[in-house]
């Protein structure tokens, strides 16, 4: 699950099974929801702000869950645009207790006669937890994320008590994905504080929880968690421990065909390349990243890192070509600040007239980039 997707409030925020929803279109769930989702998918965050503002001023939102859905889109758009203080003001307009009766369907029987549970979109809970860190309040973010994890696990346990024998209940799997996501968010914040021991404990506990699930369709989460464990070991210098973890991952993956298996194969190759990078064996790292790109031409981690390795090998023209080709072939995937910063750095090393080249790149970016793209990454003075 992409944590920043906003699920329809009726289908995924209630205690009901989403598959039993009587609604057939997104707009049946919430006023012009399909339009909001389309704008979000295109990164048109400013247009979302305008749309929400117009809907509020014209009193177009008639039900409580619609107000919450629009608040979620508005808050997410403000976060995407790095307007964190404004996003905090949006969140502060709510009761600090997101489980308040104010936000439960059964409190509005006249509107929702047959529904129960929370109508708060999950993304609002995530923003509520994440936002303090953007305002310099790291500990408050961690406290809120641990509270969110308790909320997720409580709901997961409730769903599991009603789970079908085959273990493939849609709602259960949704809450498992949310659990994995929240744990990963917590790990990222502890990692930023260099609290490696806490990170390892969280990862090992989550791996154990995933392994206890019979026929878990999200079992690939353990592979990702193990990779993160390997990266953490490398950060505090345990290269051999990281290599052993990466070897364990390779043995876990069955090399079959299919999109997910391609992603897992690339994960193995990127792990190998990372070991080569630490040993300054850039030629071998380039080979591993090249294999990733052959399997999946949109693997931007491999593309970016291959270009950096080529730069270390003093093959600037090759490194520039790798990134420019990615921007040409998969612009919606390749266009991120890290890639652009690296490409502009390579321009500065390779060309005397790098300002003109960067300006050309900047003009192209202005036409295709989403609203939240940081234009300063081109470093044009």
């Amino acid at each position: 699950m992409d944590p920043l997707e906003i699920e329809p409030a009726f289908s995924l925020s209630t205690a009901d099974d989403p598959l039993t929803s009587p609604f057939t279109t997104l707009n049946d769930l919430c006023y012009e929801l399909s339009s909001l989702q389309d704008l979000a998918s295109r990164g048109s965050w400013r247009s979302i702000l305008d749309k929400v503002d117009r809907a509020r001023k014209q009193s177009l939102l008639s039900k409580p869950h619609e107000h919450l859905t629009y608040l979620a889109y508005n808050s997410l758009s403000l976060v995407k645009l790095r307007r964190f203080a404004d996003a905090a003001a949006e969140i502060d307009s709510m009761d600090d207790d997101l489980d308040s009766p104010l936000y439960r369907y059964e409190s509005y029987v006249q509107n929702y006669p047959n529904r129960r549970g929370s109508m708060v979109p999950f993304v609002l809970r995530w923003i509520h937890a994440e936002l303090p860190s953007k305002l310099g309040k790291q500990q408050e973010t961690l406290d809120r994320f641990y509270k969110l994890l308790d909320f997720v696990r409580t709901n997961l346990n409730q769903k599991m008590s009603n789970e079908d024998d085959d273990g493939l209940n849609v709602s259960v799997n949704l809450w498992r994905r949310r659990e994995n996501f929240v744990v990963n968010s917590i790990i990222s914040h502890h990692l930023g504080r260099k609290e490696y021991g806490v990170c390892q404990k969280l990862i090992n506990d989550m791996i154990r929880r995933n392994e206890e699930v019979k026929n878990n369709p999200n079992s690939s989460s353990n592979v990702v968690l193990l990779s993160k464990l390997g990266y953490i070991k490398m950060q505090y210098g345990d290269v051999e421990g990281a290599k052993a973890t990466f070897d364990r991952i390779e043995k876990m993956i069955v090399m079959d065909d299919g999109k997910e298996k391609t992603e897992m194969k690339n994960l193995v190759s990127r792990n190998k390349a990372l070991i080569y990078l630490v040993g300054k064996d850039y030629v071998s790292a380039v080979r591993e990243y090249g294999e990733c790109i052959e399997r999946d031409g949109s693997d931007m981690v491999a593309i970016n890192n291959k270009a950096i390795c080529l730069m270390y090998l003093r093959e600037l023209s090759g490194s520039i070509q790798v990134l420019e080709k990615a921007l040409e072939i998969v612009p919606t995937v390749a266009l991120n600040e890290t890639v652009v910063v690296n490409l502009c750095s390579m321009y500065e090393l390779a060309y005397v007239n790098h300002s003109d080249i960067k300006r050309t790149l900047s003009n192209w970016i202005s036409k295709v980039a989403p609203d939240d793209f940081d234009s300063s990454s081109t470093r044009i003075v």
Side-chain angles (χ1 to χ4, degrees), residues 26-36 51 54-56 58 60-62 65-66 69-70:
L26 290 177
N27 291 338
D28 287 335
L29 296 169
C30 181
Y31 174 75
E32 287 197 4
L33 182 57
S34 60
S35 175
L36 289 174
K51 194 173 189 67
R54 185 167 61 252
R56 287 172 170 175
Q58 297 179 6
L60 299 176
L61 309 177
S62 60
H65 83 275
E66 292 183 325
T69 301
Y70 270 62

PDB file of all heavy atoms in Angstrom, residues 26-36 51 54-56 58 60-62 65-66 69-70:
ATOM      1  N   LEU A  26     -16.410   5.989  -7.399  1.00  0.00           N
ATOM      2  CA  LEU A  26     -15.758   6.802  -6.377  1.00  0.00           C
ATOM      3  C   LEU A  26     -16.625   7.993  -5.987  1.00  0.00           C
ATOM      4  O   LEU A  26     -16.686   8.382  -4.830  1.00  0.00           O
ATOM      5  CB  LEU A  26     -14.401   7.293  -6.893  1.00  0.00           C
ATOM      6  CG  LEU A  26     -13.318   6.227  -7.041  1.00  0.00           C
ATOM      7  CD1 LEU A  26     -12.056   6.848  -7.628  1.00  0.00           C
ATOM      8  CD2 LEU A  26     -13.004   5.581  -5.702  1.00  0.00           C
ATOM      9  N   ASN A  27     -17.316   8.568  -6.971  1.00  0.00           N
ATOM     10  CA  ASN A  27     -18.138   9.730  -6.676  1.00  0.00           C
ATOM     11  C   ASN A  27     -19.370   9.379  -5.851  1.00  0.00           C
ATOM     12  O   ASN A  27     -19.966  10.248  -5.215  1.00  0.00           O
ATOM     13  CB  ASN A  27     -18.554  10.421  -7.975  1.00  0.00           C
ATOM     14  CG  ASN A  27     -17.365  11.072  -8.663  1.00  0.00           C
ATOM     15  OD1 ASN A  27     -16.355  11.358  -8.030  1.00  0.00           O
ATOM     16  ND2 ASN A  27     -17.474  11.294  -9.960  1.00  0.00           N
ATOM     17  N   ASP A  28     -19.761   8.094  -5.846  1.00  0.00           N
ATOM     18  CA  ASP A  28     -20.822   7.651  -4.943  1.00  0.00           C
ATOM     19  C   ASP A  28     -20.340   7.676  -3.495  1.00  0.00           C
ATOM     20  O   ASP A  28     -21.129   7.848  -2.557  1.00  0.00           O
ATOM     21  CB  ASP A  28     -21.278   6.224  -5.290  1.00  0.00           C
ATOM     22  CG  ASP A  28     -22.090   6.180  -6.575  1.00  0.00           C
ATOM     23  OD1 ASP A  28     -22.697   7.208  -6.923  1.00  0.00           O
ATOM     24  OD2 ASP A  28     -22.088   5.129  -7.226  1.00  0.00           O
ATOM     25  N   LEU A  29     -19.044   7.490  -3.324  1.00  0.00           N
ATOM     26  CA  LEU A  29     -18.476   7.449  -1.976  1.00  0.00           C
ATOM     27  C   LEU A  29     -18.296   8.843  -1.397  1.00  0.00           C
ATOM     28  O   LEU A  29     -18.492   9.063  -0.205  1.00  0.00           O
ATOM     29  CB  LEU A  29     -17.118   6.740  -2.004  1.00  0.00           C
ATOM     30  CG  LEU A  29     -17.125   5.263  -2.406  1.00  0.00           C
ATOM     31  CD1 LEU A  29     -15.705   4.777  -2.639  1.00  0.00           C
ATOM     32  CD2 LEU A  29     -17.787   4.441  -1.313  1.00  0.00           C
ATOM     33  N   CYS A  30     -17.884   9.770  -2.260  1.00  0.00           N
ATOM     34  CA  CYS A  30     -17.600  11.116  -1.776  1.00  0.00           C
ATOM     35  C   CYS A  30     -17.694  12.089  -2.951  1.00  0.00           C
ATOM     36  O   CYS A  30     -17.373  11.722  -4.082  1.00  0.00           O
ATOM     37  CB  CYS A  30     -16.201  11.173  -1.153  1.00  0.00           C
ATOM     38  SG  CYS A  30     -15.729  12.784  -0.499  1.00  0.00           S
ATOM     39  N   TYR A  31     -18.079  13.313  -2.680  1.00  0.00           N
ATOM     40  CA  TYR A  31     -18.274  14.311  -3.718  1.00  0.00           C
ATOM     41  C   TYR A  31     -17.018  14.485  -4.581  1.00  0.00           C
ATOM     42  O   TYR A  31     -15.944  14.813  -4.073  1.00  0.00           O
ATOM     43  CB  TYR A  31     -18.658  15.651  -3.072  1.00  0.00           C
ATOM     44  CG  TYR A  31     -18.754  16.806  -4.043  1.00  0.00           C
ATOM     45  CD1 TYR A  31     -19.848  16.921  -4.898  1.00  0.00           C
ATOM     46  CD2 TYR A  31     -17.749  17.750  -4.116  1.00  0.00           C
ATOM     47  CE1 TYR A  31     -19.942  17.971  -5.803  1.00  0.00           C
ATOM     48  CE2 TYR A  31     -17.829  18.808  -5.005  1.00  0.00           C
ATOM     49  CZ  TYR A  31     -18.910  18.905  -5.855  1.00  0.00           C
ATOM     50  OH  TYR A  31     -18.998  19.946  -6.749  1.00  0.00           O
ATOM     51  N   GLU A  32     -17.144  14.221  -5.879  1.00  0.00           N
ATOM     52  CA  GLU A  32     -16.075  14.392  -6.872  1.00  0.00           C
ATOM     53  C   GLU A  32     -14.758  13.745  -6.440  1.00  0.00           C
ATOM     54  O   GLU A  32     -13.673  14.267  -6.695  1.00  0.00           O
ATOM     55  CB  GLU A  32     -15.857  15.872  -7.184  1.00  0.00           C
ATOM     56  CG  GLU A  32     -16.976  16.464  -8.016  1.00  0.00           C
ATOM     57  CD  GLU A  32     -16.611  17.783  -8.672  1.00  0.00           C
ATOM     58  OE1 GLU A  32     -15.447  18.219  -8.551  1.00  0.00           O
ATOM     59  OE2 GLU A  32     -17.486  18.380  -9.301  1.00  0.00           O
ATOM     60  N   LEU A  33     -14.836  12.585  -5.797  1.00  0.00           N
ATOM     61  CA  LEU A  33     -13.637  11.899  -5.336  1.00  0.00           C
ATOM     62  C   LEU A  33     -12.747  11.466  -6.498  1.00  0.00           C
ATOM     63  O   LEU A  33     -11.517  11.518  -6.398  1.00  0.00           O
ATOM     64  CB  LEU A  33     -14.027  10.682  -4.490  1.00  0.00           C
ATOM     65  CG  LEU A  33     -12.886   9.861  -3.892  1.00  0.00           C
ATOM     66  CD1 LEU A  33     -11.994  10.731  -3.025  1.00  0.00           C
ATOM     67  CD2 LEU A  33     -13.426   8.698  -3.076  1.00  0.00           C
ATOM     68  N   SER A  34     -13.344  11.059  -7.612  1.00  0.00           N
ATOM     69  CA  SER A  34     -12.550  10.618  -8.757  1.00  0.00           C
ATOM     70  C   SER A  34     -11.673  11.741  -9.283  1.00  0.00           C
ATOM     71  O   SER A  34     -10.528  11.518  -9.689  1.00  0.00           O
ATOM     72  CB  SER A  34     -13.462  10.099  -9.873  1.00  0.00           C
ATOM     73  OG  SER A  34     -14.348  11.113 -10.323  1.00  0.00           O
ATOM     74  N   SER A  35     -12.183  12.961  -9.262  1.00  0.00           N
ATOM     75  CA  SER A  35     -11.404  14.117  -9.711  1.00  0.00           C
ATOM     76  C   SER A  35     -10.220  14.377  -8.787  1.00  0.00           C
ATOM     77  O   SER A  35      -9.107  14.645  -9.232  1.00  0.00           O
ATOM     78  CB  SER A  35     -12.297  15.354  -9.775  1.00  0.00           C
ATOM     79  OG  SER A  35     -11.544  16.502 -10.098  1.00  0.00           O
ATOM     80  N   LEU A  36     -10.456  14.286  -7.478  1.00  0.00           N
ATOM     81  CA  LEU A  36      -9.371  14.476  -6.509  1.00  0.00           C
ATOM     82  C   LEU A  36      -8.286  13.417  -6.693  1.00  0.00           C
ATOM     83  O   LEU A  36      -7.082  13.730  -6.663  1.00  0.00           O
ATOM     84  CB  LEU A  36      -9.919  14.418  -5.088  1.00  0.00           C
ATOM     85  CG  LEU A  36     -10.778  15.599  -4.622  1.00  0.00           C
ATOM     86  CD1 LEU A  36     -11.366  15.303  -3.251  1.00  0.00           C
ATOM     87  CD2 LEU A  36      -9.971  16.887  -4.596  1.00  0.00           C
ATOM     88  N   LYS A  51      -9.506  23.184  -5.430  1.00  0.00           N
ATOM     89  CA  LYS A  51     -10.759  22.434  -5.475  1.00  0.00           C
ATOM     90  C   LYS A  51     -11.370  22.297  -4.083  1.00  0.00           C
ATOM     91  O   LYS A  51     -12.582  22.441  -3.902  1.00  0.00           O
ATOM     92  CB  LYS A  51     -10.510  21.060  -6.090  1.00  0.00           C
ATOM     93  CG  LYS A  51     -11.769  20.326  -6.508  1.00  0.00           C
ATOM     94  CD  LYS A  51     -11.420  19.059  -7.260  1.00  0.00           C
ATOM     95  CE  LYS A  51     -12.663  18.435  -7.859  1.00  0.00           C
ATOM     96  NZ  LYS A  51     -13.240  19.274  -8.929  1.00  0.00           N
ATOM     97  N   ARG A  54     -12.756  25.679  -2.965  1.00  0.00           N
ATOM     98  CA  ARG A  54     -14.022  25.996  -3.636  1.00  0.00           C
ATOM     99  C   ARG A  54     -15.180  25.174  -3.054  1.00  0.00           C
ATOM    100  O   ARG A  54     -16.273  25.701  -2.813  1.00  0.00           O
ATOM    101  CB  ARG A  54     -13.879  25.733  -5.142  1.00  0.00           C
ATOM    102  CG  ARG A  54     -15.104  26.137  -5.951  1.00  0.00           C
ATOM    103  CD  ARG A  54     -14.803  26.164  -7.439  1.00  0.00           C
ATOM    104  NE  ARG A  54     -14.392  24.865  -7.937  1.00  0.00           N
ATOM    105  CZ  ARG A  54     -13.140  24.558  -8.294  1.00  0.00           C
ATOM    106  NH1 ARG A  54     -12.186  25.464  -8.185  1.00  0.00           N
ATOM    107  NH2 ARG A  54     -12.856  23.361  -8.752  1.00  0.00           N
ATOM    108  N   ALA A  55     -14.917  23.897  -2.814  1.00  0.00           N
ATOM    109  CA  ALA A  55     -15.970  23.030  -2.260  1.00  0.00           C
ATOM    110  C   ALA A  55     -16.405  23.502  -0.879  1.00  0.00           C
ATOM    111  O   ALA A  55     -17.594  23.474  -0.527  1.00  0.00           O
ATOM    112  CB  ALA A  55     -15.476  21.588  -2.198  1.00  0.00           C
ATOM    113  N   ARG A  56     -15.428  23.954  -0.093  1.00  0.00           N
ATOM    114  CA  ARG A  56     -15.752  24.428   1.252  1.00  0.00           C
ATOM    115  C   ARG A  56     -16.529  25.740   1.197  1.00  0.00           C
ATOM    116  O   ARG A  56     -17.525  25.914   1.916  1.00  0.00           O
ATOM    117  CB  ARG A  56     -14.469  24.610   2.060  1.00  0.00           C
ATOM    118  CG  ARG A  56     -13.821  23.289   2.491  1.00  0.00           C
ATOM    119  CD  ARG A  56     -12.455  23.519   3.117  1.00  0.00           C
ATOM    120  NE  ARG A  56     -11.927  22.307   3.738  1.00  0.00           N
ATOM    121  CZ  ARG A  56     -10.705  22.217   4.268  1.00  0.00           C
ATOM    122  NH1 ARG A  56      -9.886  23.279   4.242  1.00  0.00           N
ATOM    123  NH2 ARG A  56     -10.301  21.092   4.818  1.00  0.00           N
ATOM    124  N   GLN A  58     -18.390  26.912  -1.172  1.00  0.00           N
ATOM    125  CA  GLN A  58     -19.705  26.757  -1.771  1.00  0.00           C
ATOM    126  C   GLN A  58     -20.575  25.738  -1.033  1.00  0.00           C
ATOM    127  O   GLN A  58     -21.666  25.400  -1.498  1.00  0.00           O
ATOM    128  CB  GLN A  58     -19.556  26.347  -3.234  1.00  0.00           C
ATOM    129  CG  GLN A  58     -18.864  27.399  -4.085  1.00  0.00           C
ATOM    130  CD  GLN A  58     -18.698  26.976  -5.538  1.00  0.00           C
ATOM    131  OE1 GLN A  58     -19.199  25.937  -5.962  1.00  0.00           O
ATOM    132  NE2 GLN A  58     -17.986  27.790  -6.306  1.00  0.00           N
ATOM    133  N   LEU A  60     -20.353  22.521  -0.643  1.00  0.00           N
ATOM    134  CA  LEU A  60     -20.679  21.379  -1.489  1.00  0.00           C
ATOM    135  C   LEU A  60     -20.525  20.042  -0.768  1.00  0.00           C
ATOM    136  O   LEU A  60     -20.907  19.004  -1.309  1.00  0.00           O
ATOM    137  CB  LEU A  60     -19.774  21.387  -2.736  1.00  0.00           C
ATOM    138  CG  LEU A  60     -19.901  22.618  -3.638  1.00  0.00           C
ATOM    139  CD1 LEU A  60     -18.883  22.565  -4.772  1.00  0.00           C
ATOM    140  CD2 LEU A  60     -21.315  22.726  -4.195  1.00  0.00           C
ATOM    141  N   LEU A  61     -19.971  20.082   0.441  1.00  0.00           N
ATOM    142  CA  LEU A  61     -19.745  18.843   1.194  1.00  0.00           C
ATOM    143  C   LEU A  61     -20.876  18.687   2.199  1.00  0.00           C
ATOM    144  O   LEU A  61     -21.009  19.495   3.133  1.00  0.00           O
ATOM    145  CB  LEU A  61     -18.385  18.886   1.898  1.00  0.00           C
ATOM    146  CG  LEU A  61     -17.199  19.272   0.988  1.00  0.00           C
ATOM    147  CD1 LEU A  61     -15.913  19.361   1.803  1.00  0.00           C
ATOM    148  CD2 LEU A  61     -17.050  18.272  -0.146  1.00  0.00           C
ATOM    149  N   SER A  62     -21.664  17.652   2.022  1.00  0.00           N
ATOM    150  CA  SER A  62     -22.887  17.541   2.816  1.00  0.00           C
ATOM    151  C   SER A  62     -22.806  16.585   3.994  1.00  0.00           C
ATOM    152  O   SER A  62     -23.601  16.689   4.929  1.00  0.00           O
ATOM    153  CB  SER A  62     -24.053  17.115   1.907  1.00  0.00           C
ATOM    154  OG  SER A  62     -23.774  15.851   1.313  1.00  0.00           O
ATOM    155  N   HIS A  65     -18.192  12.515   6.573  1.00  0.00           N
ATOM    156  CA  HIS A  65     -17.043  11.809   6.004  1.00  0.00           C
ATOM    157  C   HIS A  65     -16.479  12.557   4.805  1.00  0.00           C
ATOM    158  O   HIS A  65     -15.286  12.462   4.509  1.00  0.00           O
ATOM    159  CB  HIS A  65     -17.434  10.377   5.608  1.00  0.00           C
ATOM    160  CG  HIS A  65     -18.090  10.267   4.279  1.00  0.00           C
ATOM    161  ND1 HIS A  65     -19.432  10.457   4.097  1.00  0.00           N
ATOM    162  CD2 HIS A  65     -17.580   9.989   3.042  1.00  0.00           C
ATOM    163  CE1 HIS A  65     -19.747  10.299   2.817  1.00  0.00           C
ATOM    164  NE2 HIS A  65     -18.636  10.015   2.159  1.00  0.00           N
ATOM    165  N   GLU A  66     -17.299  13.345   4.103  1.00  0.00           N
ATOM    166  CA  GLU A  66     -16.799  14.131   2.973  1.00  0.00           C
ATOM    167  C   GLU A  66     -15.872  15.244   3.457  1.00  0.00           C
ATOM    168  O   GLU A  66     -14.836  15.514   2.835  1.00  0.00           O
ATOM    169  CB  GLU A  66     -17.967  14.707   2.179  1.00  0.00           C
ATOM    170  CG  GLU A  66     -18.768  13.652   1.446  1.00  0.00           C
ATOM    171  CD  GLU A  66     -19.888  14.240   0.601  1.00  0.00           C
ATOM    172  OE1 GLU A  66     -20.485  15.260   1.024  1.00  0.00           O
ATOM    173  OE2 GLU A  66     -20.163  13.672  -0.464  1.00  0.00           O
ATOM    174  N   THR A  69     -12.610  13.553   4.219  1.00  0.00           N
ATOM    175  CA  THR A  69     -11.899  13.151   3.007  1.00  0.00           C
ATOM    176  C   THR A  69     -11.224  14.356   2.356  1.00  0.00           C
ATOM    177  O   THR A  69     -10.056  14.297   1.954  1.00  0.00           O
ATOM    178  CB  THR A  69     -12.860  12.483   2.012  1.00  0.00           C
ATOM    179  OG1 THR A  69     -13.446  11.334   2.626  1.00  0.00           O
ATOM    180  CG2 THR A  69     -12.131  12.055   0.742  1.00  0.00           C
ATOM    181  N   TYR A  70     -11.948  15.465   2.268  1.00  0.00           N
ATOM    182  CA  TYR A  70     -11.373  16.683   1.678  1.00  0.00           C
ATOM    183  C   TYR A  70     -10.267  17.250   2.570  1.00  0.00           C
ATOM    184  O   TYR A  70      -9.261  17.773   2.075  1.00  0.00           O
ATOM    185  CB  TYR A  70     -12.470  17.715   1.432  1.00  0.00           C
ATOM    186  CG  TYR A  70     -13.091  17.589   0.060  1.00  0.00           C
ATOM    187  CD1 TYR A  70     -13.769  16.428  -0.312  1.00  0.00           C
ATOM    188  CD2 TYR A  70     -12.973  18.613  -0.879  1.00  0.00           C
ATOM    189  CE1 TYR A  70     -14.335  16.296  -1.572  1.00  0.00           C
ATOM    190  CE2 TYR A  70     -13.523  18.493  -2.143  1.00  0.00           C
ATOM    191  CZ  TYR A  70     -14.203  17.324  -2.492  1.00  0.00           C
ATOM    192  OH  TYR A  70     -14.731  17.195  -3.749  1.00  0.00           O
TER     193      TYR A  70
END
